[in-house]
Each structure stands twice: as structure tokens, then as C-alpha cells.
Amino acid sequence: MDEYKLYPAGDCAINVTFSNRVDPQINRSIQQLQENLRSMQQTGITGFVPAFRTLTVFYDPILVTFEQLKRVIHQASLKASTLQTQAIRIVHIPVCYGKDFGPDLKNVANHAKLTPREVVKRHCQPNYLIYMLGFLPGFVYLGGLDPQLATPRLATPRLKIEPGAVGIAGEQTGIYPIESPGGWQIIGQTPLRLFQPDQDEPFYYHAGDYIHFDPVSDFEYQQIKNMVDEGHYQVYIETRKVTEDGDSSDTAGITDDGSGSGKN
Amino acid sequence: MGIRVTQPGLLTTVQDLGRTKGLAQGFSPSGVMDQWSAIQGNLLVNNVENEAVLEYSILGPTVTFSTPAVIAVTGGVVNAKLNGTQIHENQAIEVNSEDVLEIGPLTQGRYGYLAVSGGLQVDSILASKATSLRYGLGGFKGRALKTGDFLATVEPKPVIAEPEKRKIAVSSHDTDQTVLIRVTEGPQFAQFEAETITAFTNQQFKISKNADRMGLRLEGQPLSVANVPEMLSEATVAGGIQVPKNGQPIVLMADRQTTGGYPVIGVVASVDLPTIAQLVPGQVVRFKMISLTQSQQALADQKGQLKQIKQTFDALNPKVSRKTATKISRLFR
């Protein structure tokens, strides 16, 4: 596992801090450490928040001391990887690009000096790694956007962005899971209802999962939306094995074993 | 059974101790600003500590009860009246059907609480009844209460014996101009220059008008962040003191975002979070650095106090568990 340093973040949290860069390998270490700590079921740990280079471990200092926690984190970091033999998840998000669904697709195309069609093609290419969630419930910070698609935010932010809007802001791409104001260049819209407040798992994805955007037509968008409204659309969640020596430049060493599975 | 809102007051919301299970998915914890007062309210009416209460700010609501209940008003100082007669705060009060409680304006502090025996019946999202106003989620329809709203309450079990004996002696609020707030080192503490650290603890900061449930913006001599490296966003914590580019610190509170990218110089000690939450714009704070051990000891002492209060109240309302009852019955066989 990568090297880390520990910094207290107040009297009820500790930051496990890795190297200062956005890197799939670091993200994997964070996920692995979190998984190992979970499996140790240490009394007093109350939650985890993974981010780009940190895993923040929340704890109740009445139940576990800072010193105990430091030792537990050390043990967890030594434990052999449990994740490398596990499958990673790729959540497929259908997106209708352009027209009313993506009013800023032309902006992005002009900025990238590409045709709108080429922008869509490039946007649908990668498996985007979810480094962390934040800003809004279910809002993903994704890595892997084609640098040529990077476009500055709108000069004047919109007061209202619909849930399901897919956009680009600088070198980031993402989806608005709930309605919000925002300055992102909106290039498309998913018919999925991303936030399901009555479920134990209110979103289809976590930090460490991947997102893949699948282009759909207006007609398919409406079909999927109808199925979503009727409650029987199956979100396609693909699982792949992770290897240590995989091609880490793309999706952090994923190989396809073809074991895709649907999930409600 | 429940309570009807006749006057909503200002920013009256349903809150508990926060949606802490959703942090990793980007859910702001929300929850009460002053946990100490909210917990005391719940203990007074024999609720669990995390039960939902009504939180109000600056001006409390007027409500009518549809059934008898036991209530408690805690937190910021008010002159609450039940059917026109002033009632005590920090004490269990019996109310009857059609009784009218007028909480009125806060005369000290910033946030007040109304706890009702049995608790408030709203749907939980990720195991919390807290309202997140920024995205209209949780609590009562995801919003602050309005005139005419009817909030269902849960039937309390068991009936509270001798409510008049359930009271808590509360130390007065800090109305001083300068209030000392204890802090521990923040995760980026070591990245600030020594002079900045000195400036942070030596000077006074004023609570600005931009102080809300999300955060308290402070005003003072700007703290230098010129030599603090740019950082990647990481998890925020309650009481985290961020220093943005303009050098004016922001103390992150209940409605904070779950992640942030500004360096955090210090973190308010958990025991002092209720104190800083209750300060009003114009009041002044001074930060005092303490060690993590000191901070955690102070928190343990505070939890000890709550435990004592709970034990005193439990003695008033003896509860025999099924296990104990079985043991006792065995003795007589």
C-alpha cells in the first residue's frame, strides 16, 4: 500500500493522507484501507469519507482513543489487499446528448474544435473513476475526461439545473443527481432517477466505482424514462476483475471477464 | 396527535443529531446547531438523545398541541408562554389538548429547541430526521415550517412520572463581547507559517452577519495563506476552521458540505461547538489552542454530565427491563 501520514481533523476524526495527487492507484489504496478497516469492525469507528488523497475516519473518542486508532489503521494498511481479488463495478448511465437535453453541447464542441458528434463519442469512451462524492448528495468527482473536452464553466451560472443533467466544468465531468444552481456546461441528460431517498443505498454508485456514459436517442430516452417511472428499469452494472498489473493509464487495471450484471 | 403551527417563527426546522450515515455519499450532516441543548431537551422529556426536535432561530414559533404531552424548551433564552402564562425553560412542562405555546423572540443566544415527549413523526432518510434546507431534503417536507403545518408526534412510552422534578440547571449564555473558544490543530495546521498561527490565536475575530447553519464567517486581520499549497478537496468536519484566499476564516457548522478544498488551520473542540453556534453576529471570539487529549477529555467530561442527568431522570421514572423482571420473578419461584 502507498505511504500515508495521519493528521487529526478535530477530536472526532483522523485524516489518513496519501500523496498529493489525483491518481487511480492512490484511490485504490484508499478504497482498500477503508475495506480493511471495515472488516476489522473496530469499536468506536463511526464512519468513513474517502476523497482524492485522503480517507477520513470518524470516531467516538469515548470508545476508542487516538493512539488505538493509529495502531488499527497501521494494521489495516499491512493487511493483504482484499480488493485486488474483488470485482470492480462499472455503472452504465444512459445519456441523451445535445438539443434540449444538452444546451451547451455546441459550446463544448466549439471550445474543443470538434463536431458535437465527436464530443459525444469522446465523452462516452472512458470508464470514469469515481474519486469521491461531495458538494451535493450523490455528486461524483470523476477522473478520466478527455483533456480536449475540458471547457470553462458558464460565465453566468444557471439558477436551476435539472436532476440528471450531465455536464463539463474545466477538466471535470459529472452528473447533477438533484436539482441545483450551477455553472456547468450541460451536454446531456440521463433519464435515470439517480437519487432514491427511500432506499438503504440511495445511489447506484460509491467512491471507487466507475461510471460509463451510454449514448441514447430521444426515443430511447423516453422509453427508459417510462420504465424508470413505472419502476422496472434495470440499471446495467458491469462487474470486472481487478488486476495489479493491468493497464492503469485507462481504468486502473481493469480486465473484462464479461460478468456484467443488472441491478435495480 | 401532534402540533399545529400557528406562527412559524424564523427558520423553524425538524432536526436531530444529523445525517452522519450519508457523509460519504455527499449528504450534509445537517442536524441541530447546538447538540448540548437539543440533547438536554430530549432527556427532559424522556426521549432518546437523537430524537428529532424543533430548532428555531432568532424568533421561536407559536404552536397548538392536539393532545396532552410533556415538552421542554431549551437552548437560546426566550420568554415562552403557555396559554399566556410564562413557563420555565430547561424543565419538563405538561401540556394539554388545545394548549397554545408561544415561544417568542430569543433574548440570548441564536438557536432554541422545542422537544416533545415521544418525538416528532417524520420520515427518516438514511436513519436521520434532520432537515437539509439547501437541497430540500428530510425533516418536514425538506423545508422550514409554515403557518398551518401539522406535525405528527409519536405517542410517548412510558408516561412521564413527576415531570415537575425534571429540570436542568443551565449556565447562562455567553453574552460577553469576547468568548474564548478552544480549538485543536487542523489537518493543514503545519502548512501555515508560524506568524499566521500566532495571528490566529492572538487576535480577536468578529462573528459576521454571514453566519448561518452552514458556517460562520469571521472578520479579523486576514490570515495569510499565500504560502499554503493548493490542496485537493477532502472531508470536512464540524467546527473545521477553513481559511480561504481572502484570509477571513469560516467555521463549518451543521449544514456544511461534506468535502472542501480550503486549508483548515484549526478545529473547534467538540465541547465548544454549542457555544460558538449560539453566538450572534457582532460577538467576538478568541481561539485557544489545546491538545487533542485535552479536547477529548473535555468531551468525555461533558458526556459524563449528560449521563448523570439521564440517571437522575431515570430514577424518577423507574423502568424495569424485561430481563430484570424475569430475574426478579425467578427469585420468587
Side-chain angles (χ1 to χ4, degrees), chain B residues 45-304:
Chain B
V45 300
N46 203 32
N47 288 345
V48 294
E49 291 185 4
N50 188 33
E51 184 49 68
V53 296
L54 285 187
E55 178 184 274
Y56 43 86
S57 181
I58 303 170
L59 177 65
T62 301
V63 298
T64 309
F65 298 90
S66 77
T67 42
V70 176
I71 62 159
V73 175
T74 61
V77 178
V78 291
N79 293 307
K81 293 187 182 82
L82 188 67
N83 304 322
T85 310
Q86 192 167 343
I87 57 162
H88 289 287
E89 288 165 60
N90 308 304
Q91 181 174 325
I93 307 277
E94 277 182 288
V95 297
N96 285 310
S97 212
E98 297 311 312
D99 276 0
V100 177
L101 173 71
E102 184 188 349
I103 294 178
L106 274 73
T107 57
Q108 280 175 40
R110 176 95 173 183
Y111 295 96
Y113 299 92
L114 171 63
V116 183
S117 55
L120 303 173
Q121 205 169 44
V122 296
D123 290 341
S124 288
I125 295 176
L126 288 167
S128 169
K129 296 177 179 178
T131 312
S132 287
L133 288 172
R134 191 160 68 95
Y135 27 83
L137 181 139
F140 185 82
K141 300 182 179 175
R143 60 165 170 81
L145 298 185
K146 292 180 189 167
T147 302
D149 284 344
F150 182 80
L151 263 164
T153 52
V154 183
E155 190 173 355
K157 281 184 214 178
V159 174
I160 295 172
E162 304 182 275
E164 67 283 356
K165 288 191 181 166
R166 301 173 80 95
K167 49 180 100 170
I168 297 173
V170 173
S171 54
S172 61
H173 286 268
D174 286 297
T175 49
D176 301 354
Q177 268 308 307
T178 308
V179 179
L180 195 69
I181 297 290
R182 291 166 284 182
V183 296
T184 57
E185 292 177 7
Q188 284 76 40
F189 178 84
Q191 295 175 18
F192 286 88
E193 290 168 329
E195 300 88 78
T196 310
I197 303 285
T198 311
F200 174 64
T201 50
N202 275 4
Q203 69 158 311
Q204 299 183 332
F205 291 97
K206 195 165 86 175
I207 308 281
S208 80
K209 282 180 189 154
N210 290 317
D212 59 19
R213 286 185 38 86
M214 201 166 167
L216 315 173
R217 283 174 191 267
L218 307 180
E219 287 168 1
Q221 288 294 318
L223 299 175
S224 168
V225 284
N227 295 318
V228 180
E230 284 281 323
M231 59 178 277
L232 293 164
S233 286
E234 59 185 42
T236 60
V237 294
I241 305 169
Q242 289 183 336
V243 187
K245 289 267 184 287
N246 69 5
Q248 303 288 355
I250 303 168
V251 186
L252 298 179
M253 302 300 284
D255 279 348
R256 69 187 184 274
Q257 293 185 17
T258 54
T259 54
Y262 292 125
V264 174
I265 192 168
V267 181
V268 175
S270 293
V271 276
D272 284 350
L273 277 173
T275 308
I276 201 166
Q278 289 290 4
L279 299 182
V280 298
Q283 277 189 283
V284 171
V285 293
R286 235 180 109 156
F287 295 114
K288 184 191 176 199
M289 277 289 174
I290 58 169
S291 71
L292 192 58
T293 316
Q294 288 171 318
S295 182
Q296 293 180 335
Q297 186 55 51
L299 183 63
D301 292 346
Q302 192 189 47
K303 294 240 164 115

Side-chain angles (χ1 to χ4, degrees), chain A residues 87-91 203-206 208-211 237-240 263:
Chain A
I88 59 110
R89 301 163 80 243
I90 303 168
V91 180
F203 298 101
Y204 297 108
Y205 43 75
H206 295 102
D209 292 341
Y210 290 81
I211 279 182
I237 296 172
E238 190 183 348
T239 51
R240 292 190 194 175
K263 195 208 160 192

Side-chain angles (χ1 to χ4, degrees), chain A residues 54-74:
Chain A
T54 49
L55 178 67
T56 300
V57 181
F58 288 83
Y59 66 102
D60 180 346
I62 313 278
L63 300 177
V64 57
T65 66
F66 183 72
E67 292 304 319
Q68 282 171 329
L69 203 56
K70 272 163 79 169
R71 283 196 293 275
V72 170
I73 290 167
H74 180 63

